[in-house]
Every structure is written in structure tokens, then in C-alpha cells.
Amino acid sequence: MRGPFGHWARLLDSPWSRGPAAALAGALPVLTFPAPSWWWLAYGALVPWLLLVRSAPTNRRAALDGWLGGTGFMLAVHHWLLPSLHVFILVLALLLGALWAPWGLLVRALLGGAPGARRLAAALVLVPSGWLMAELVRSWQYLGGPWGLLGASQWQVPPALRLASIGGVWLLSLLIVAVNTALTELIARPAVRRPAVGGLLVCAVAATAVWFWAPVPRPAGTVRMAVVQPGIIDGPAARLARGEALTRTLAGRGVRLVVWGESSLGQDPAEHPALTARLTALSRETGAELLVNADAPARHGAGIYKTAVLIGPHGPTGDRYAKMRLVPFGEYVPFRSVLGWATRVGKAAPVDRRRGTHQVLMPIATAGGLRIGPLICFETAFPDMSRRLAQDGARVLVAQSSTSTFQHSWAPAQHASLAALRAAETWRPMVHATLTGISAAYGPRGEPVGGRLGTGSSATAVYDLPLAEGTSPYTRFGDWPVYGAVAALAAYLGWAGLRAVSRSARARR
């Protein structure tokens, strides 16, 4: 290859330089997430990786470029886990990165060589669809869950949030990869620019049409809620005392619900009457119900659960929600008999937490019976959980979280950003309360409400949350972008299979 790319092409002929280049190219999209939050970079961040994969000399090399790029992406997105998992994070990244090996094959098949206009047009649909399959598989809770989905990088962009209300975070991922694919085509095959330009125009027109014509939630008043963020405090007793002191400052301010963070209690109120009495008195004093969270053995020694407990002026309301989706290695070790060694090289959970069995709606009596849908920490990454709560009648989504282990990393900002997406997808405002920050609230369009409590704060925040009526298209129709991607890939694989059989038949004649 001659010209300005000739030197780089020769350099990438060596597997010793090509492998690190693939990993670095795969890691580039991490800059689109908080803390950098360079959301605009998402629309070109995949181009270096795509150019590299399409130039692979063989299918085996393309699959390897996909795998190494996926490994780089997984390492970059989860780099803040390194102090907890140490070398095991590399093992996990290599396992999850393998999900992009088939995507590498797909990219080379559609963009490699000198593709014509029809193949390039097909790539605009199939390359994003292949990416979505990798995101979908890794979103399984036992593989780590949907942290760092590409579409989540657009959490602060109003037009993108409007798209999320139509097709969820999946639709945003499809759009982003489609734009990257079109840009790659323009760079690699400028002579066949029509499908690439057409694809960019389709993306722009579709996004504009959604902004102007998509339905929006109907305003339905407000409700005043507050979060209590005690900050970094050693020991559950000191944390409880600080939470009580902060909560008392909310008395007389018209707050209907006070939300404490995940693991705000080291004991289950159901097992400790004295603790229940303290919290009940606190609820009476403030005139608000309290949503606390216990990380403690449940009743009758049934194992350790993380449980959201609602307490009113007359005591516990009976409404409890036990966390259903646990953080692998953080809250349990998968296949502990085989992978238990992870506890010796990092900070993996020494004892497995137990899972809840079903989601719960909690009516808030002090807010006229307004029903909230609780989520605990990691669960805000799963769009299906917030969608189910909205379908069941939740008016407000409430998340209780704790990222104190990763206080000085990108994790708190990334976690808080997810609430904006879940709110926009469901048209339900969302409160994100943490022990040590970042705590925040978002309205039914994903717009920020009030201020955020940063990781250096020990304070309260009061939010007048705008409520909304109506059902978002995503809540109503679900993950239709995923089904469309599966259908497109199935059609392509069916066509490719028939074509291979036809060629084989002709060769035998």
C-alpha cells in the first residue's frame, strides 16, 4: 500500500504490533463514558478498530483482531475493578472479549477487500447487528451484566434520550455503530461513497424525526423526595448515626420519602426491634417514610441478603425487596468450588449473598399511595428490570447504591449516569441514592433534576421530582431493536449458507 497509510499498513503486518493495536483500538470507546464523558467521540471511536479488522489478511486474523479489541474494550470499561480483582480482571476481559471474535469475522466479510455498493449497504445493517449480539450476550447477569453498553455513553444527550424512549439503550448502540460503519466505508472505499453517505443521512433523518415526532411523557405534578449520603464512614454503627443526623435536618421540608443508600444498615430491622424503633421514630420526626437498605442475614438465618426496607411513622410497612441480580465476584463467586481462588488474589466476596425472587412495588402512604419501584446498585444497569417496574405501575424508580470501594475511580460517575437512561426509557423519574456518591435524580425524559452529591459530600439533597403519565414506546414494545438485529443476522446467515451450498454444488458438476 502506498500513500500516507503505507507505513502503518506495513507496521500492522507484524502480529506483534497488530495485537496491541487491536487492543488499543478496542479500548478507545471508554473515553465516551464518565468520567471523561466525551459522548461525541462515540460516533467515530470504533473507526480505527473497524479499519484494522477489515484489513485482516485471513478470517483467523480478523477473529483475533475482534477478540483482542473486545478484550481491550472490556479492560478499559472495567479498569476500576483492578484493585479488587487484580490479575483476574485480565482473565475476565479475555473471556468476554471473545464475544467480539464473530463480529470480527462479520466485519471482514462485509467490509474487507473491495466491496461493492450492495455489500457496503448490507454492512450498515449487519455490522451494528453483530455488535448488538455481543452486547446482548455479555449482558447476561452471570457474565457480568450490561455495564458499559455503547449506547449508555449518550446519557446526557437529549435527542439520544428521546431515542432511548423508543428502543432503549439497544437502539442507541445500533445507531452509534451504524455511524461508525459508514465513516469506515468512506475512509476505506471513497470510490463507493453512495451507501455510506446514504447511511449517514438515514441516521440523521431518523434521529431528527424521532426528536420532532416521537411521543413524550405528559406532566403529572411533582413529588418531593430526598437522599441521605453519609459519606465515607467506618463501621455500620457510625454510618447509622450519621444517616440519622442528616435525616433529621429534613424535618419540616415537606419530604415524602427519604432514600438511604445500599448497605446503609448492618442489621435487618426485622431481626432487631430496637433498630426498628429508632427508624420508626425518625420517620415520625421527619414526616416522611424511609427507604433503608440492610446488608445482613435475613430472618431465621436464611442467608445474607441485600434488602430494601420501607419504614413509616407507624413502623415497617411490610414492603421489602431483596436484590435479585448480584455482582459476580463482588457479591458472590460463580462456581466457587472452581473459582474460589479469586478471593486470594483480590477482594472477591468471601461469602455469597443470596438472591431475591421477584420485583416489588412499594406504595408511599405519605405521598398519597404513590408507588415506587426499588432497584439495588448493579440492577440499574439492566433495562429490563426498570421496564418491568414501569409496566407494573411504578411512578418513580428508586436506586440504592454503594460504590465506596471504587471511590476515586470512574465507577461512581458511570453508575449515576445509568439512572438518566432508565428514566428516559420508561418515562419514570429516577432517584439514585448512594452511601458515598454520586447521588443524583433525573426526570421522566432523563433530564437532571436539582444538584448532584459528589464523592466528597456528606449531606442530603431534596428533589422535587416531576411525575409523568403515559407509557413510553420502549416500555410498551420492549427490546424490538434486538429482535430486528437477530432477524437481520439470521437472514444473512441463511443467505450465506444457501450461497455456499450452491457454490459447492456447482463445483461438483
Side-chain angles (χ1 to χ4, degrees), residues 52 268 319:
L52 183 69
D268 189 336
D319 297 298

Side-chain angles (χ1 to χ4, degrees), residues 117-118 120-125 175 178-186 189-207:
R118 286 195 300 177
L120 291 177
L124 292 172
V125 175
L175 173 69
V179 171
N180 277 272
T181 304
L183 291 176
T184 302
E185 291 178 355
L186 283 174
R189 293 284 292 161
V192 190
R193 63 174 63 92
R194 184 175 297 177
V197 172
L200 289 174
L201 287 175
V202 167
C203 290
V205 170

Side-chain angles (χ1 to χ4, degrees), residues 15-319:
W16 299 106
S17 54
R18 190 180 184 95
L24 287 173
L28 182 60
V30 74
L31 298 176
T32 67
F33 299 100
S37 284
W38 296 348
W39 62 265
W40 44 268
L41 181 62
Y43 296 94
L46 296 180
V47 170
W49 189 7
L50 286 164
L51 288 171
L52 183 69
V53 175
R54 75 170 294 278
S55 70
T58 64
N59 281 334
R60 182 177 179 180
R61 185 69 238 187
L64 185 58
D65 288 344
W67 184 5
L68 293 175
T71 300
F73 181 57
M74 289 289 94
L75 272 176
V77 167
H78 297 96
H79 72 274
W80 41 270
L81 284 172
L82 183 60
S84 295
L85 295 183
H86 298 300
V87 68
F88 201 76
I89 187 64
L90 178 60
V91 177
L92 291 176
L94 284 167
L95 289 173
L96 294 173
L99 296 173
W100 277 270
W103 183 73
L105 293 172
L106 184 67
V107 169
R108 183 176 185 270
L110 294 168
L111 298 178
R118 286 195 300 177
R119 183 145 59 103
L120 291 177
L124 292 172
V125 175
L126 295 170
V127 170
S129 296
W131 178 278
L132 204 62
M133 292 304 99
E135 288 200 334
L136 182 66
V137 174
R138 79 175 182 88
S139 294
W140 188 38
Q141 59 174 313
Y142 299 104
L143 290 180
W147 191 280
L149 299 182
L150 198 56
S153 65
Q154 307 302 292
W155 65 277
Q156 57 186 331
V157 185
L161 292 173
R162 186 76 62 83
L163 280 170
S165 74
I166 303 295
V169 67
W170 312 111
L171 183 58
L172 296 182
S173 288
L174 281 176
L175 173 69
I176 291 169
V177 182
V179 171
N180 277 272
T181 304
L183 291 176
T184 302
E185 291 178 355
L186 283 174
I187 294 171
R189 293 284 292 161
V192 190
R193 63 174 63 92
R194 184 175 297 177
V197 172
L200 289 174
L201 287 175
V202 167
C203 290
V205 170
T208 303
V210 167
W211 176 254
F212 282 105
W213 291 303
V216 294
R218 301 186 300 275
T222 62
V223 62
R224 178 165 289 188
M225 295 186 178
V227 301
V228 168
Q229 182 177 297
I232 298 178
I233 296 176
D234 291 331
R239 186 184 303 123
L240 172 60
R242 180 58 178 163
E244 287 177 306
L246 288 171
T247 301
R248 288 192 180 96
T249 67
L250 298 170
R253 300 181 63 180
V255 173
R256 302 306 179 191
L257 177 68
V258 178
V259 186
W260 290 16
E262 179 189 21
S263 305
S264 48
L265 301 179
Q267 297 174 325
D268 189 336
E271 295 292 303
H272 296 271
L275 176 59
T276 297
R278 287 175 66 177
L279 295 172
T280 300
L282 189 61
S283 175
R284 282 198 299 269
E285 185 176 344
T286 58
E289 295 188 43
L290 309 179
L291 186 67
V292 296
N293 189 281
D295 183 4
R299 302 167 182 170
H300 313 303
I304 299 176
Y305 289 82
K306 289 194 174 182
T307 309
V309 182
L310 186 63
I311 295 178
H314 305 292
T317 65
D319 297 298

